[in-house]
Amino acid sequence: KMSLKCALSGQEPPEHPVISRASGHVFEKKLIEKYLESSSTCPATGEPLSVSDLLEVKVSQIVRPRPTKATSIPALINLFQNEWDAVMLETFTLKEQLNTTRQELAQALYRQDAALRVIARLTKERDDARNQLAAAQAYLATARPTQEEGMEVEEKGISEQIKQKLIAASKKLTAERKQRRLASELATENDLKNYRVVSSHAVHSSSKPGILCVDIHPNQNLVLTGGVDKNVVLFDRSSQTIAATLTGHSKPVTDVLFHPEQQLLVSTSKDKTVRFWTPEQDRYAAAQTLRIHEGEVVGASLHPTGDYLASGSTDSSWAFVDIQAARALAHVRTDEPEAIQCISFHPDGMILGTGTVGSRVRVWDLKTTRNVAQFEGHTAPVTDICFSENGFYMASTADDNTVRLWDLRKLKVFQTFDFQEGSGGPARCSALAFDYSGSYLAVAGASMVRVYGFGVGGPAGTQLDPLTQLTDHTAAVTDVAFGAHARTLVSTSMDRSLKFYAF
């Protein structure tokens, strides 16, 4: 009679015996396979051995003898009770796992349903926006200004060659914007919260105090201001001195601009003129004086190409000016007695925004010189507008003490906040400015400046949150502007001071 015994464990007989082809030794199958996972030799002889060298031995089913504790009825009852308890415990565990799986499945189905609803809504909004854009483009392509629509182009108009130049520049700017990333030097929200005055300068006459406007040169350490004293002042921040005082206007200066690439300064005034200033030897002189408007010229905006300028006036008209030729290519007037209060080009350069005394913001298409959209919501004259560099948002402020943010894609307001809240009294908003990244907005009103942020890395959302409030001026703040990467902020006031903020 043959007896099988595992050469590895000594178990006799093995439950699942296998035999080695090489050595003829018998092993328990589970033991030898586990052993061969860590070794490739036979445990009995030390010869090379693999799982493929093992042959199963066909033997009759081995019935193990009943344990001694199951030889009596009480012992059997106890054994059955233990097995029953084990089965019940396993059943309870399986039920818990089933309930957990059901809950996870229900949550997954709910999230999927919510995601499908959001996708459907966004798809509908996208299709509606595409349809509106197509309709607007078709309308603009066929529309022509008429006298009944209250618009009059006094000049010959913008030539087809210039229109094509503007369109090409717009496409290039749009493509560059899509590839642009936030600069690593951009100030953080915590940096802006630590803004403080680093210098303050009285740069205009004390006999007629008040600075009305300011601009910062994008590449040089220069600041340009215009005052109630009719002067334009060029301030050198590096030396903390006045580099030049430009005289020639006969009434207060309403706006000033640097040309980013040329040695050219621009100023507008209540004397109804636009002046171009260029350096001559050791001073600046008025190279050109444009008398386009019949009313006070309230502001100007430089086209992104740097070749053209738009000016707005209280005579309810705006002009599109060729800087090199120093003449108006188009002079657009509305028949409604609605004086323009402020003016600004969109970053792409194909549309122009104007804020009016009638509490409206109008958007004009340069190709047709037609008013293509109106934003209503303010209840008092609009004092300033500006476009975000991302091209999607426009901010406006008015004498109703509110600031409104508009989505140009949907042609509607998405946030309104009362500048008067927390000011302790009336707080007329006079000016606002986005930084170049479009992450921050500075608003000037009463004797303070407030800075708001979308959140760096975005915009992170569609809501501005207040970051800091600067209350260093002693009279109404008239204008505000950001320096490079929002690391500097400059403001002007009727207290005759030019203040620089940094962290």
Side-chain angles (χ1 to χ4, degrees):
K1 181 180 178 180
M2 183 179 67
S3 175
L4 298 178
K5 181 177 181 181
C6 176
L8 189 59
S9 66
Q11 178 182 349
E12 183 182 1
E15 293 184 9
H16 301 286
V18 293
I19 188 169
S20 170
R21 293 179 180 178
S23 63
H25 286 85
V26 177
F27 301 97
E28 172 62 48
K29 183 178 181 181
K30 292 186 294 184
L31 290 177
I32 188 61
E33 287 180 349
K34 189 168 184 179
Y35 176 84
L36 290 177
E37 288 178 1
S38 59
S39 178
S40 59
T41 60
C42 176
T45 63
E47 298 177 355
L49 183 65
S50 64
V51 176
S52 60
D53 295 329
L54 301 176
L55 295 174
E56 288 195 24
V57 179
K58 302 295 183 180
V59 296
S60 58
Q61 185 66 35
I62 300 173
V63 179
R64 294 187 176 278
R66 183 178 297 172
T68 54
K69 62 180 181 179
T71 55
S72 65
I73 292 177
L76 286 173
I77 293 174
N78 184 58
L79 182 63
F80 292 153
Q81 181 65 48
N82 293 337
E83 292 179 358
W84 173 262
D85 293 341
V87 170
M88 290 299 102
L89 181 61
E90 184 178 4
T91 302
F92 175 79
T93 303
L94 291 175
K95 284 183 177 180
E96 282 190 328
Q97 293 176 353
L98 176 61
N99 291 334
T100 302
T101 303
R102 283 177 174 173
Q103 292 177 358
E104 293 175 351
L105 177 60
Q107 292 176 357
L109 292 174
Y110 177 82
R111 287 195 293 266
Q112 182 192 27
D113 181 68
L116 291 175
R117 289 175 182 271
V118 171
I119 292 172
R121 177 175 60 81
L122 294 176
T123 302
K124 184 177 181 301
E125 291 180 357
R126 181 204 63 187
D127 294 339
D128 291 343
R130 285 178 175 175
N131 293 336
Q132 292 176 5
L133 178 61
Q137 289 175 338
Y139 178 80
L140 293 176
T142 58
R144 292 294 185 270
T146 64
Q147 185 66 26
E148 289 75 17
E149 293 169 326
M151 194 182 310
E152 176 185 348
V153 181
E154 297 184 347
E155 307 296 324
K156 293 182 179 180
I158 304 173
S159 68
E160 191 62 32
Q161 181 181 2
I162 294 177
K163 290 179 183 179
Q164 293 303 318
K165 178 181 178 181
L166 297 180
I167 293 172
S170 176
K171 291 180 179 179
K172 180 181 178 182
L173 290 169
T174 302
E176 290 175 351
R177 182 181 299 109
K178 292 179 180 179
Q179 299 176 358
R180 187 183 303 152
R181 297 292 181 267
L182 290 179
S184 59
E185 301 91 346
L186 180 65
T188 65
E189 289 190 352
N190 287 333
D191 291 334
L192 269 64
K193 291 177 182 178
N194 293 322
Y195 267 160
R196 60 182 180 81
V197 176
V198 293
S199 64
S200 180
H201 310 273
V203 293
H204 284 265
S205 171
S206 58
S207 60
K208 295 182 179 180
I211 307 176
L212 299 178
C213 48
V214 66
D215 192 25
I216 299 180
H217 198 289
N219 305 316
Q220 301 177 26
N221 211 6
L222 298 173
V223 175
L224 195 63
T225 63
V228 178
D229 61 1
K230 313 170 192 176
N231 294 333
V232 177
V233 173
L234 181 63
F235 184 82
D236 188 341
R237 192 185 172 196
S238 58
S239 62
Q240 301 283 297
T241 59
I242 295 175
T245 299
L246 288 57
T247 59
H249 284 294
S250 59
K251 289 187 178 181
V253 178
T254 55
D255 201 5
V256 290
L257 294 174
F258 278 108
H259 194 289
E261 299 172 355
Q262 302 177 22
Q263 286 189 316
L264 175 68
L265 309 178
V266 180
S267 64
T268 64
S269 171
K270 291 184 178 182
D271 64 8
K272 306 177 185 180
T273 65
V274 179
R275 288 178 181 257
F276 296 160
W277 307 83
T278 56
E280 288 184 4
Q281 297 178 352
D282 58 344
R283 65 185 184 89
Y284 276 82
Q288 298 288 345
T289 301
L290 306 182
R291 304 182 185 276
I292 305 168
H293 300 282
E294 299 173 1
E296 299 175 357
V297 183
V298 295
S301 181
L302 190 66
H303 191 270
T305 59
D307 297 330
Y308 308 100
L309 180 85
S311 61
S313 171
T314 56
D315 65 4
S316 305
S317 74
W318 60 269
F320 184 70
V321 177
D322 185 324
I323 294 177
Q324 189 67 28
R327 66 182 180 90
L329 301 178
H331 188 188
V332 182
R333 185 192 305 274
T334 63
D335 287 339
E336 300 178 40
E338 194 173 55
I340 291 176
Q341 298 278 86
C342 50
I343 190 166
S344 179
F345 272 115
H346 184 272
D348 287 345
M350 288 307 299
I351 61 174
L352 177 73
T354 58
T356 69
V357 73
S359 72
R360 290 185 291 185
V361 177
R362 294 188 175 205
V363 175
W364 307 79
D365 178 66
L366 278 186
K367 297 192 299 295
T368 61
T369 63
R370 185 185 184 89
N371 182 199
V372 293
Q374 295 189 42
F375 296 90
E376 299 182 352
H378 286 294
T379 58
V382 177
T383 55
D384 200 9
I385 62 172
C386 65
F387 292 94
S388 172
E389 184 60 24
N390 64 17
F392 299 146
Y393 303 138
M394 178 182 70
S396 64
T397 186
D399 281 339
D400 57 9
N401 304 327
T402 65
V403 177
R404 291 175 177 264
L405 294 174
W406 309 85
D407 191 326
L408 299 176
R409 297 164 295 184
K410 300 179 181 179
L411 300 180
K412 66 179 183 179
V413 66
F414 65 88
Q415 185 179 2
T416 302
F417 49 89
D418 190 349
F419 191 79
Q420 188 168 313
E421 291 182 2
S423 64
R428 177 185 179 272
C429 297
S430 56
L432 41 72
F434 278 107
D435 79 298
Y436 183 75
S437 72
S439 301
Y440 306 115
L441 176 70
V443 183
S447 59
M448 62 184 174
V449 177
R450 284 184 184 161
V451 181
Y452 301 81
F454 279 111
V456 176
T462 56
Q463 295 291 313
L464 279 172
D465 295 316
L467 299 179
T468 187
Q469 178 170 299
L470 309 170
T471 58
D472 302 281
H473 285 289
T474 58
V477 181
T478 55
D479 206 358
V480 64
F482 280 102
H485 309 302
R487 306 186 74 83
T488 305
L489 183 72
V490 61
S491 64
T492 56
S493 168
M494 294 302 294
D495 64 8
R496 204 169 63 94
S497 69
L498 167 68
K499 294 188 184 296
F500 293 91
Y501 302 89
F503 46 85

